[in-house]
Amino acid sequence: MFRILAALIIASAATTASAQATKVKIGFVNTFSGPNAFIGNDERDGFELALDHLGRKMGGLDVEMIYEDDQMKPDVGRQVTEKLIQSNKVDFISGFNWSNVLLASLKPAVDSGTFLISGNAGPSQIAGELCSPFFFSTSWQNDQTPMALGETLNQRGVKRLYILAPNYAAGKDMAAGVKKTFKGEIIGEDYTRWPGNVDFSAELSKVRAAKPDAVWVFYPGQAGAQFFQQYSQAGLKEQIPLYSVFTVDALTLPFIKDLALGHLSTQSWVQDIDNPVNKRFVADFRKKYKRYPSYYSAQHYDAAMLIDSAVRAVKGNLADKDGIRNAMRKADFTSVRGKFAYNKNHFPVQDFYLQEVIKDDAGEHTMRKIGVVLQNHKDSFAEKCSMTW
């Protein structure tokens, strides 16, 4: 009996040892080709800087990164997500800039029990009825940032607003967000072809004819830079104030330059948030990449730190899915945003700031924080999420 018991103990220990991971495998799905590749590269740069700060280890384990290009196409995003799960057998998947790509890729991750940490896209469906124990966000739910902008419009006395956004999941969410909080009248609303549309002449003619008090837009990446330039060329810049979300940032400012000076937008992260982690992040990012970071890179820096906090909590036992989930729910890491906590749907509870485009002492365009618009804000879709914890 003693020999049998000893053999069972030895066999159990051997099984545990063989199951114990020797490295953390992380898949990263984003856009690395085409005109918006600079967004995917910026998000990768933020994640890579976090790995540098972690000594390229998580919970004492080496980290293996596998980068996949979604080409801004939902079907491609799903295919590479399935490859990462089935062939590469990753422990975590992160990245995901576009909401339609994320929505197409969610089911393979959830069905396989693979943790997916979105560093940017935050569609309302995943915050609500599609919420999952295997999904976490280190960004925001799509509606939240424009909700802060809607409050800003109220404070600035805007009564008549014209809305422009691309015709895809995030565009609809963003417009819904600003309409939730804006108390005035929406006098025009256009959803333009996405992706690929960079000619806004027809929409700008409608704006000129409508004569709103202000225009609100959501055009990330290349489209945002094109819109700003065409808005100015159409002579509207001096006539009708322009407000935006996810349009003017560290990536588009080098193209927009002085056309954006004084421009107001809202965001959950600004480069001059005053805490030690953010100061180090900004300084080291600028040193390594020779440019200002954006919210894209800041959110993915946090995504890496969130994963590290979970791997540390389970002492490298990546088979302990419940332990990993419980650790991520605690968000036991110091964010570049300072305060960071999760709502029951695994979306952050956080502040949203009003920011303004300025030139720094060296003449480089950047953003500065003006003040807090929404404090400890929870997205409105959590009530549709069936998770409790």
Side-chain angles (χ1 to χ4, degrees):
M1 182 64 71
F2 176 79
R3 286 195 300 271
I4 293 172
L5 181 60
L8 289 172
I9 292 172
I10 291 170
S12 176
T15 301
T16 302
S18 65
Q20 185 72 28
T22 58
K23 60 184 174 182
V24 183
K25 298 182 72 172
I26 302 174
F28 195 97
V29 178
N30 221 306
T31 303
F32 299 119
S33 59
N36 286 301
F38 66 117
I39 297 178
N41 291 333
D42 193 65
E43 295 179 343
R44 176 175 57 193
D45 289 346
F47 203 98
E48 284 286 330
L49 181 61
L51 292 179
D52 289 348
H53 286 173
L54 293 169
R56 314 297 297 186
K57 291 181 179 291
M58 291 180 172
L61 302 177
D62 291 334
V63 177
E64 178 183 347
M65 294 297 301
I66 305 166
Y67 291 99
E68 294 287 352
D69 183 6
D70 60 31
Q71 302 174 36
M72 277 188 77
K73 297 176 181 178
D75 58 334
V76 175
R78 183 185 178 102
Q79 289 168 13
V80 297
T81 298
E82 290 174 341
K83 171 186 172 292
L84 288 168
I85 295 166
Q86 296 168 9
S87 300
N88 301 113
K89 301 189 184 307
V90 296
D91 304 297
F92 302 91
I93 303 176
S94 191
F96 294 100
N97 189 68
W98 312 103
S99 289
N100 53 350
V101 176
L102 174 58
L103 284 167
S105 306
L106 178 69
K107 192 174 188 298
V110 170
D111 287 353
S112 66
T114 305
F115 287 103
L116 191 160
I117 297 92
S118 173
N120 192 68
S124 56
Q125 298 94 323
I126 300 179
E129 61 272 15
L130 294 182
C131 70
S132 167
F134 290 99
F135 175 89
F136 285 80
S137 166
T138 54
S139 57
W140 21 254
Q141 191 277 316
N142 287 343
D143 290 29
Q144 291 182 281
T145 307
M147 286 175 70
L149 202 286
E151 291 289 2
T152 298
L153 294 172
N154 296 333
Q155 295 166 10
R156 299 182 73 83
V158 174
K159 303 297 183 185
R160 302 169 71 251
L161 183 67
Y162 204 106
I163 285 176
L164 286 164
N167 189 17
Y168 80 114
K172 298 293 182 64
D173 277 350
M174 298 288 174
V178 77
K179 289 190 288 185
K180 279 181 182 177
T181 52
F182 177 60
K183 296 178 181 178
E185 178 187 2
I186 306 297
I187 66 167
E189 190 171 355
D190 286 324
Y191 295 92
T192 54
R193 179 171 55 87
W194 183 266
N197 180 51
V198 290
D199 180 6
F200 300 99
S201 55
E203 288 76 26
L204 294 178
S205 293
K206 292 181 182 179
V207 169
R208 181 182 287 105
K211 299 179 180 179
D213 295 338
V215 173
W216 172 89
V217 301
F218 161 68
Y219 283 113
Q222 179 202 28
Q226 291 287 342
F227 184 89
F228 240 83
Q229 291 164 358
Q230 292 174 33
Y231 196 82
S232 178
Q233 291 165 1
L236 294 172
K237 181 176 182 292
E238 305 303 327
Q239 298 176 24
I240 305 171
L242 177 62
Y243 298 85
S244 73
V245 293
F246 306 107
T247 301
V248 178
D249 53 44
L251 301 181
T252 57
L253 273 174
F255 301 99
I256 304 171
K257 298 181 179 179
D258 285 356
L259 293 179
L261 279 176
H263 180 74
L264 299 178
S265 58
T266 47
Q267 190 50 260
S268 60
W269 175 87
V270 188
Q271 61 92 13
D272 61 347
I273 292 177
D274 188 11
N275 69 65
V277 171
N278 192 52
K279 288 180 178 179
R280 182 192 184 199
F281 164 69
V282 173
D284 288 357
F285 191 98
R286 298 199 70 191
K287 182 178 179 180
K288 182 174 183 177
Y289 302 114
K290 312 305 179 188
R291 68 180 190 274
Y292 275 108
S294 73
Y295 52 86
Y296 293 120
S297 44
Q299 292 159 182
H300 283 80
Y301 182 94
D302 276 355
M305 293 302 183
L306 174 68
I307 296 172
D308 172 65
S309 71
V311 177
R312 282 189 287 105
V314 297
K315 296 180 172 56
N317 181 10
L318 300 178
D320 185 3
K321 303 278 190 176
D322 291 339
I324 289 171
R325 181 183 306 108
N326 291 337
M328 287 202 287
R329 283 171 169 172
K330 293 176 182 176
D332 186 19
F333 71 100
T334 306
S335 166
V336 293
R337 284 162 273 189
K339 294 182 297 181
F340 193 100
Y342 276 116
N343 200 352
K344 73 168 190 170
N345 60 354
H346 296 171
F347 277 79
V349 179
Q350 59 190 326
D351 295 343
F352 287 82
Y353 303 95
L354 182 63
Q355 58 183 1
E356 178 185 22
V357 175
I358 61 165
K359 281 185 178 180
D360 65 15
D361 293 339
E364 190 173 355
H365 296 85
T366 186
M367 305 282 207
R368 71 173 177 187
K369 175 170 62 71
I370 295 177
V372 178
V373 181
L374 299 177
Q375 193 169 30
N376 295 326
H377 193 257
K378 299 179 180 180
D379 74 89
S380 58
F381 291 90
E383 61 189 32
K384 297 181 179 180
C385 174
S386 59
M387 286 193 298
T388 56
W389 50 276

